[in-house]
Amino acid sequence: MNFNTEFVNKLRISGLRPTKQRIKICEILFNREKTFHFTINDLSKMISEKLNEKISLATIYNTIHAFKKKGYLKEISINSDKSYFDTNTSIHHHFYDEDTNQLIDCNEDDINEVKINNNLTGKKINSVEVLIKVASDNQNQN
Amino acid sequence: MNFNTEFVNKLRISGLRPTKQRIKICEILFNREKTFHFTINDLSKMISEKLNEKISLATIYNTIHAFKKKGYLKEISINSDKSYFDTNTSIHHHFYDEDTNQLIDCNEDDINEVKINNNLTGKKINSVEVLIKVASDNQNQN
DNA sequence: ATACTTATTATAATAATTCTAAACTATTGA
DNA sequence: TCAATAGTTTAGAATTATTATAATAAGTAT
Ligand SMILES: [Mn+2]
Ligand SMILES: [Mn+2]
Ligand SMILES: [Zn+2]
Ligand SMILES: [Zn+2]
């Protein structure tokens, strides 16, 4: 058998049925060395490039949200256009290049530890995320 | 005359024609003591409550984006659902209450200064924003 | 196998946002 | 003064992003 059994097992363990749609999406997202960022549209294109039979957009949304709920993906909101998803699920911060619309992980030591001195009472902190928006030096504010 | 002349002047100075739609939106957004956060939908509701004649949603978008471009508003992306706008245009960080979907400004001393040690070469930092997601203590992860 | 239950898919519907043609406003030059 | 014209703004129409739900498929029990 091929290495798909790995994904089949992971899906089963997570309580998700290992459908062919989900296995295909696993292969595209997780069968690689480095983590990466993508939009639903990016993923949709990757799927149609690598696959003859199509997966519906709604199924892609369903699958990505299921994976997010299980903790295999993080969602990152940068602007109102669309959501970015991240296969790096560790707590980390981001640079966002406003020229190229590229999202780039911060390294461990690119940024000081962010300390919250005073929290809202009765509330628990779920995440602390820093977003650094950058652009090329020549100013083009129109 | 009424205090509308203040907004008329500000609009003129900004190179924006003081239309009745824009003046109305100015009154709702800026004629108050404290800054606040709102969505386009929130604003749309406020307008239809306070006004007999309606302003088209597209015009609300146009106006808000024009004000943002002029620096009178900031846009904040929290989730993929919708954009939040902020009449507090200073650099500041946010708490986001995931139970109530409320966005709350951090105080000056709620959070340590965020220092960027290492930036992308050839790029200028436009903003550094921290988002702290909070929720009630009793865990309800479904 | 077959019936039954529950999860999943994907079409259809909705919500958020943007496009663009028509309406309006300001400027120019007789 | 007041067309003609150029530029701006509005808002209905179109598009894009996302979600709801009816149909389908997968798992479970008999
Ligand atoms: Mn925007
Ligand atoms: Mn979402
Ligand atoms: Zn990342
Ligand atoms: Zn704020």
Side-chain angles (χ1 to χ4, degrees):
Chain A
M1 281 120 210
N2 51 25
F3 54 82
N4 281 356
T5 51
E6 189 198 333
F7 294 129
V8 171
N9 286 340
K10 253 198 160 175
L11 286 167
R12 281 238 170 76
I13 288 163
S14 313
L16 298 170
R17 291 181 185 169
T19 63
K20 62 180 192 299
Q21 291 90 340
R22 283 173 173 167
I23 292 164
K24 193 45 153 182
I25 290 172
C26 278
E27 286 174 10
I28 291 173
L29 294 183
F30 304 119
N31 187 29
R32 46 174 86 208
E33 285 300 306
K34 292 169 72 67
T35 63
F36 77 118
H37 307 103
F38 64 95
T39 65
I40 293 286
N41 198 252
D42 294 337
L43 178 55
S44 177
K45 275 182 197 152
M46 291 179 206
I47 291 168
S48 47
E49 279 167 12
K50 299 206 173 190
L51 199 65
N52 17 12
E53 49 203 318
K54 79 180 275 271
I55 299 176
S56 129
L57 245 191
T59 299
I60 299 174
Y61 273 96
N62 286 337
T63 302
I64 292 313
H65 284 144
F67 288 0
K68 180 191 171 189
K69 191 180 283 184
K70 295 297 176 184
Y72 301 137
L73 290 174
K74 283 182 71 169
E75 187 170 4
I76 298 153
S77 286
I78 303 293
N79 54 42
S80 57
D81 289 10
K82 54 180 72 84
S83 259
Y84 288 76
F85 291 88
D86 197 339
T87 61
N88 178 355
T89 56
S90 74
I91 291 175
H92 65 285
H93 309 300
H94 290 97
F95 292 104
Y96 182 69
D97 188 328
E98 293 185 311
D99 299 322
T100 64
N101 284 13
Q102 279 243 325
L103 196 58
I104 298 144
D105 282 358
C106 283
N107 289 328
E108 191 63 51
D109 37 52
D110 283 348
I111 190 166
N112 283 27
E113 198 199 347
V114 180
K115 281 180 184 158
I116 313 303
N117 305 320
N118 208 1
N119 190 19
L120 305 179
T121 44
K123 297 285 176 177
K124 165 178 149 295
I125 291 176
N126 280 342
S127 71
V128 176
E129 305 247 329
V130 181
L131 181 64
I132 304 157
K133 290 189 179 174
V134 303
S136 58
D137 245 319
N138 50 329
Q139 64 272 48
N140 55 328
Q141 37 252 127
N142 74 324
Chain B
M1 280 114 209
N2 52 26
F3 53 83
N4 280 356
T5 50
E6 191 198 333
F7 294 129
V8 171
N9 286 341
K10 252 196 161 173
L11 286 166
R12 281 237 171 77
I13 287 162
S14 312
L16 297 171
R17 289 183 186 167
T19 63
K20 62 180 192 298
Q21 291 90 340
R22 284 174 174 166
I23 292 165
K24 194 47 157 180
I25 291 172
C26 278
E27 285 173 11
I28 290 173
L29 295 183
F30 304 118
N31 187 28
R32 44 174 86 210
E33 283 301 306
K34 292 169 72 67
T35 63
F36 78 118
H37 306 102
F38 65 94
T39 64
I40 293 287
N41 199 253
D42 295 337
L43 178 55
S44 177
K45 274 180 197 151
M46 291 178 207
I47 290 168
S48 47
E49 280 167 12
K50 299 209 173 190
L51 200 63
N52 19 11
E53 48 202 319
K54 79 180 276 270
I55 299 177
S56 133
L57 246 191
T59 299
I60 299 175
Y61 274 97
N62 286 338
T63 302
I64 292 313
H65 284 144
F67 288 0
K68 180 189 171 192
K69 190 180 284 185
K70 295 296 177 185
Y72 300 137
L73 291 173
K74 284 182 70 169
E75 188 171 3
I76 298 154
S77 287
I78 304 291
N79 53 42
S80 56
D81 290 9
K82 54 180 71 84
S83 258
Y84 289 76
F85 290 89
D86 196 339
T87 62
N88 177 354
T89 56
S90 74
I91 290 176
H92 65 285
H93 309 303
H94 290 96
F95 291 104
Y96 181 68
D97 188 327
E98 293 185 310
D99 299 323
T100 63
N101 283 14
Q102 279 243 325
L103 195 58
I104 298 144
D105 282 357
C106 283
N107 288 328
E108 192 63 50
D109 36 52
D110 283 350
I111 189 165
N112 282 27
E113 197 198 349
V114 181
K115 281 180 185 161
I116 313 303
N117 305 320
N118 207 2
N119 190 19
L120 306 178
T121 44
K123 296 286 178 177
K124 166 178 149 293
I125 291 176
N126 279 343
S127 71
V128 177
E129 305 247 329
V130 181
L131 181 65
I132 305 156
K133 290 188 179 175
V134 303
S136 57
D137 245 322
N138 50 330
Q139 65 273 45
N140 55 330
Q141 36 254 126
N142 71 329

